[in-house]
Amino acid sequence: MDLRRQLPGVTTLLDHPELQPWRQRHGDRLPIRAIRETLAHYRQRLSEGAADDIGDDRPEEGDLVAAIRGRLELLTRANTRPVFNLTGTVIHTNLGRSPLSEAAIEAVVQAARHPIALEYDLEKGRRGDRDRLVEELLIELTGAEAATVVNNNAAAVLLSLTALGAGREAVISRGEMIEIGGAFRMPDVMSAAGCRLVEVGATNRTHARDFHQALGDDSGLIVKVHTSNYAITGFTSSVPEHELARIAHEHGIPFMIDLGSGALTDFRALGLPYEAQPSEAIAAGADLVTFSGDKLLGGPQAGIVVGKRELIARLKQHPLKRALRCDKLTLAALEATLRCYRDSDMPSRSLPTLSMLARDVATIGDQVSRLKPMMQAALDGIAEVTCRDCRSQLGSGSLPVDRLDSRALVLHCSRSRDLSRLERVLRGLPRPVIGRVHEGALWLDLRCLDGDEEERRFVEQLDTLRPLWDRTA
């Protein structure tokens, strides 16, 4: 007998009581899709004679309905759902970089829900400039004459180089020819911008005379790039920013600095390593400074350019500016983030990224000790849980050499395949847990498990570990 013919029909399954809540929420389209896909799966298994998977007889209706519900849950699960970042990398590019402050989240909600005066001057009653939403704040925080914003720092660099250096030479130290994630290389960006790259000096040492000798009639600008994702140490030398500004201005060309991450507060006051600030670059004489909004700044993805009014005006008038401009949600979040810096002498209280970076290791250690017995109970017979010291990193090309003392839950499995299975199980939780494999164990650095609410949500799903482990056998 062909068991496939004994499978219930779509209409029969659609009328099952357990699927009625799904029909009420979504109508019939999605449930019918889930039913058809589930039936197709079972027909395929039956045709292959996979008795070990579904038995010798046709599956029970209850099993089919359970499989359909599982399919519906998978179909309706958001791809952008939250995860627990326990990798030890605080600003993790693959995990969305900086979480926003509550003020920024509320600003995004309001901008999404209502029309806003994005490019409308309420005072004059006519079209305005969307940059005005954040420009005055950026001027106040950096000391620049003007500012503009695009969708990320790579775009800010591309726009600046194109507007100021297309068809001319861009002069840069050989030791600053960076590559960041995704094979984004400074020489390629300069080429795309229409600049002719001129490298000066050596990888480890560049002097003022190197720039003087390289500059000529075709020189368009001097570029300095902050080596945010690597460090050159030992026998090194570089030209100070104020000296580069003087050399550029003597030759009548602008001086541009790409800070990469950028910071709007003194990190040393938070007990963190020093990070260059845009205000320092402006004070040193830079004509344009570019930096990110979603790294050390702790805001949304954005590329920020501050500097001389005349040069910023040229950027705003360039055709690329419209192609690279930010939408209202980004600008709303960025404005709220910038206000945190302007209005508070302790922005780490409201900006999650700064709060996580500044977390005291003793506090993290107390949390590790508190969670260890609960984690061990959830993983009894699966893994042994220990507490270990570790070192967190800032991430996303920020302070590549410096590390932050932290504490971790370390999960040890007797077999490597069990460790890989445990990784999959943790990633399969309702809110996936992302750690890192190191020294043959899975490390969960708790630096980013910040706040009572986050800890509660982490603990709540520990009971689902064992059933999920058993299902992946």
Side-chain angles (χ1 to χ4, degrees), residues 62-123:
D63 296 332
L64 276 171
V65 171
I68 292 165
R69 290 176 56 190
R71 184 63 183 159
L72 281 166
E73 290 172 358
L74 185 63
L75 288 169
T76 55
R77 179 187 296 168
N79 292 330
T80 53
R81 67 189 189 276
V83 304
F84 285 107
N85 174 17
L86 306 185
T87 63
T89 300
V90 178
I91 309 172
H92 200 302
T93 298
N94 304 138
L95 301 180
R97 291 187 176 166
S98 292
L100 296 177
S101 67
E102 290 301 318
I105 293 169
E106 177 60 25
V108 169
V109 169
Q110 293 303 316
R113 182 171 289 151
H114 307 290
I116 66 169
L118 178 63
E119 286 186 357
Y120 186 79
D121 190 321
L122 291 171
E123 183 177 342

Side-chain angles (χ1 to χ4, degrees), residues 153-370:
N153 189 54
V157 173
L158 177 64
L159 175 61
S160 300
L161 289 173
T162 304
L164 304 184
R168 306 187 69 187
E169 296 173 346
V171 184
I172 184 173
S173 169
R174 183 167 283 109
E176 296 170 4
M177 300 299 291
I178 65 165
E179 175 182 320
I180 62 174
F184 176 90
R185 291 180 172 180
M186 183 55 66
D188 296 336
V189 177
M190 289 188 173
S191 176
C195 299
R196 297 194 302 276
L197 170 65
V198 176
E199 300 177 60
V200 300
T203 301
N204 61 322
R205 292 177 68 82
T206 303
H207 306 283
R209 64 177 180 271
D210 297 319
F211 285 94
H212 280 295
Q213 292 168 1
L215 293 174
D217 294 339
D218 288 338
S219 300
L221 72 165
I222 292 177
V223 181
K224 181 173 181 61
V225 179
H226 183 52
T227 55
S228 56
N229 61 352
Y230 68 95
I232 299 175
T233 60
F235 186 58
T236 63
S237 177
S238 62
V239 185
E241 292 174 356
H242 67 85
E243 180 68 8
L244 285 175
R246 184 185 63 79
I247 294 170
H249 299 157
E250 283 180 358
H251 288 79
I253 59 175
F255 171 44
M256 168 185 161
I257 300 179
D258 171 23
L259 280 182
S261 294
L264 290 181
T265 190
D266 187 348
F267 272 41
R268 292 169 295 188
L270 300 174
L272 297 168
Y274 166 77
E275 174 73 6
Q277 298 181 56
S279 58
E280 297 169 336
I282 292 294
D287 301 296
L288 282 184
V289 181
T290 68
F291 55 101
S292 295
D294 59 341
K295 295 182 181 179
L296 295 180
L297 193 69
Q301 177 180 299
I304 301 169
V305 191
V306 297
K308 299 293 185 183
R309 186 175 296 106
E310 176 191 356
L311 299 182
I312 295 293
R314 287 170 61 182
L315 268 58
K316 290 184 177 185
Q317 292 163 6
H318 196 280
L320 265 181
K321 175 60 165 71
R322 183 175 180 84
L324 302 174
R325 70 182 183 180
C326 296
D327 73 335
K328 65 176 183 176
L329 303 184
T330 298
L331 289 169
L334 182 58
E335 179 190 3
T337 303
L338 295 173
R339 288 185 182 278
C340 288
Y341 284 99
R342 189 197 65 177
D343 299 341
S344 173
D345 56 357
M346 294 189 68
S348 59
R349 290 178 176 174
S350 53
L351 295 172
T353 296
L354 298 189
S355 175
M356 289 185 291
L357 290 173
R359 265 190 103 190
D360 180 64
V361 67
T363 302
I364 303 172
D366 291 342
Q367 185 180 44
V368 167
S369 299
R370 189 165 57 249

